[in-house]
Amino acid sequence: MIYVTGDTHGDINRFKKRELRKLTSKDYIIVCGDFGFFWDKSQKELENLEFLKEQKYNILFVDGTHENFDILESFPTVEFMGGKAGKIANNIYHLKRGEIYHINGKFIFTFGGGVSEDVGQLMDTGTWFEQELPSVEEMKYAVENLKNINCEVDYIITHETSATYKHKIWRNCTTNPVNDFLEQLVTEVRFEKWFFGNLHVEFAVSDNAFSVFEEIVPIDGIRKSRRF
């Protein structure tokens, strides 16, 4: 089964929930950005990574904005489920921008990255990475991949979301170029469900668009409600 959750920011407790003990190598947990387990290579971070590697289930994630991209980019890129991914361990993979994966019979389009709301503070502390902002080439690559399958997928997994969806949650918020790019997907791509994580709230925007955060939910199990 495929599960989805929001930003983890290096919090190992998300993966220590009792209900995860039943999962097997046939199960996948997808994190919608800001995975955060690769930051400073501290002893605690290394211990957390060892714990994740010991789990039976698979951990997949798109990158967010609070990531150490220098470390992320140091991992080898491999063929994975019909697309390209960064291999962290046998059960941990970084899902790349614009790729389409075929997992458990479902086609999943992924697009990480975004624009940090606290970019000024991050730059002051030397913890901002320009790679957080998707490039024009990555956007074009994503569009071409979607066109190759007639702009139809089962699921979309992103960190940011479309401008429209963002305003439905935070009415007076500002949008950025990534929101504008993803806005095109709402009108041009047919999909069953879309999940995104950077707004840090559990919220059903529509019948098929969901902001996820701390819960780990079956990708087929979410239905529309104001909060879930």
Side-chain angles (χ1 to χ4, degrees):
M1 185 177 290
I2 303 172
Y3 299 83
V4 64
T5 190
D7 301 5
T8 47
H9 290 284
D11 181 10
I12 197 65
N13 292 320
R14 186 84 56 91
F15 297 96
K16 290 186 175 181
K17 293 185 176 184
R18 179 176 297 180
E19 57 265 33
L20 302 187
R21 296 176 186 174
K22 65 181 181 181
L23 302 188
T24 71
S25 60
K26 295 181 180 180
D27 295 308
Y28 299 84
I29 296 177
I30 304 179
V31 181
C32 295
D34 283 353
F35 188 54
F37 284 93
F38 312 99
W39 190 253
D40 56 8
K41 296 184 178 181
S42 65
Q43 183 60 37
K44 185 62 176 178
E45 182 174 280
L46 295 175
E47 291 173 359
N48 286 340
L49 282 173
E50 285 305 311
F51 174 83
L52 296 180
K53 292 177 183 179
E54 292 170 356
Q55 303 313 300
K56 295 179 180 179
Y57 53 84
N58 300 281
I59 301 169
L60 315 178
F61 66 95
V62 298
D63 52 87
T65 53
H66 295 87
E67 313 276 12
N68 186 323
F69 284 92
D70 290 343
I71 295 178
L72 274 185
E73 293 172 358
S74 70
F75 293 102
T77 298
V78 300
E79 296 292 329
F80 177 74
M81 300 291 185
K84 296 185 184 301
K87 183 176 182 179
I88 315 302
N90 288 335
N91 67 325
I92 307 174
Y93 289 86
H94 170 206
L95 305 181
K96 302 284 189 174
R97 298 171 187 173
E99 295 290 347
I100 298 171
Y101 303 95
H102 194 221
I103 304 175
N104 284 7
K106 301 293 184 179
F107 287 100
I108 301 176
F109 169 81
T110 61
F111 200 86
V115 179
S116 295
E117 297 287 345
D118 55 348
V119 60
Q121 179 181 344
L122 294 174
M123 292 181 75
D124 288 342
T125 59
T127 54
W128 179 76
F129 295 84
E130 63 180 353
Q131 300 101 307
E132 71 168 37
L133 183 63
S135 66
V136 173
E137 290 73 21
E138 288 172 328
M139 293 180 183
K140 288 181 178 179
Y141 177 75
V143 170
E144 288 304 312
N145 268 353
L146 287 167
K147 285 182 177 179
N148 288 338
I149 59 169
N150 298 316
C151 291
E152 184 171 1
V153 295
D154 294 294
Y155 304 118
I156 294 176
I157 302 289
T158 60
H159 180 58
E160 292 270 11
T161 187
S162 73
T164 296
Y165 290 164
K166 190 172 184 179
H167 280 302
K168 284 187 176 181
I169 297 177
W170 307 122
R171 292 185 180 180
N172 299 318
C173 67
T174 58
T175 57
N176 59 59
V178 182
N179 300 137
D180 296 336
F181 167 70
L182 295 176
E183 183 71 21
Q184 299 177 45
L185 301 187
V186 177
T187 58
E188 298 180 14
V189 178
R190 296 179 296 279
F191 58 91
E192 183 178 338
K193 292 179 182 177
W194 183 337
F195 298 90
F196 53 92
N198 79 315
L199 296 183
H200 289 191
V201 63
E202 320 279 3
F203 196 94
V205 179
S206 69
D207 287 331
N208 61 349
F210 304 90
S211 170
V212 291
F213 187 28
E214 294 179 328
E215 295 184 33
I216 300 176
V217 294
I219 204 166
D220 286 324
I222 298 181
R223 296 294 181 267
K224 183 177 179 180
S225 62
R226 292 295 292 175
R227 301 178 71 87
F228 57 84

